[in-house]
Amino acid sequence: MLITHRTKIYIVCFIAIALLLHVLNLSVSDIFPFFSFEITGYGILMIYWGSSTYLRLTDRDLRRLYTAMMLNFLLLYLV
């Protein structure tokens, strides 16, 4: 399976954002109003992933499957 240059950039960006969220969680966890800054950031990343796959997929059944997967990941992570 070939990985395009754009996909490699997305993977590197997601890893960088995850590391940044972890560092920010260590520094602002006491003053952030939610339970964890990481949970909020990862939730936003999951919503972005789900919406981007929803826009890119043309098959209706596959789009529903990916949307359900995104919602399940988000629910599992937030609970």
Side-chain angles (χ1 to χ4, degrees):
M1 180 175 179
L2 296 174
I3 297 177
T4 63
H5 180 69
R6 187 176 186 180
T7 304
K8 289 178 185 177
I9 290 174
Y10 280 143
I11 291 170
V12 169
C13 287
F14 280 136
I15 291 172
I17 290 171
L19 290 173
L20 179 66
L21 286 172
H22 183 67
V23 169
L24 286 174
N25 189 43
L26 294 175
S27 61
V28 297
S29 62
D30 296 334
I31 56 176
F32 196 68
F34 299 110
F35 179 69
S36 175
F37 191 72
E38 270 183 310
I39 290 175
T40 306
Y42 286 136
I44 291 169
L45 283 176
M46 286 181 200
I47 291 170
Y48 172 75
W49 171 75
S51 63
S52 69
T53 55
Y54 184 83
L55 293 174
R56 285 184 282 141
L57 293 174
T58 57
D59 185 19
R60 189 177 71 175
D61 294 332
L62 194 59
R63 186 185 307 159
R64 285 182 185 170
L65 176 69
Y66 270 81
T67 304
M69 282 175 34
M70 186 269 304
L71 291 174
N72 284 328
F73 283 146
L74 187 62
L75 181 65
L76 179 68
Y77 195 75
L78 292 177
V79 171

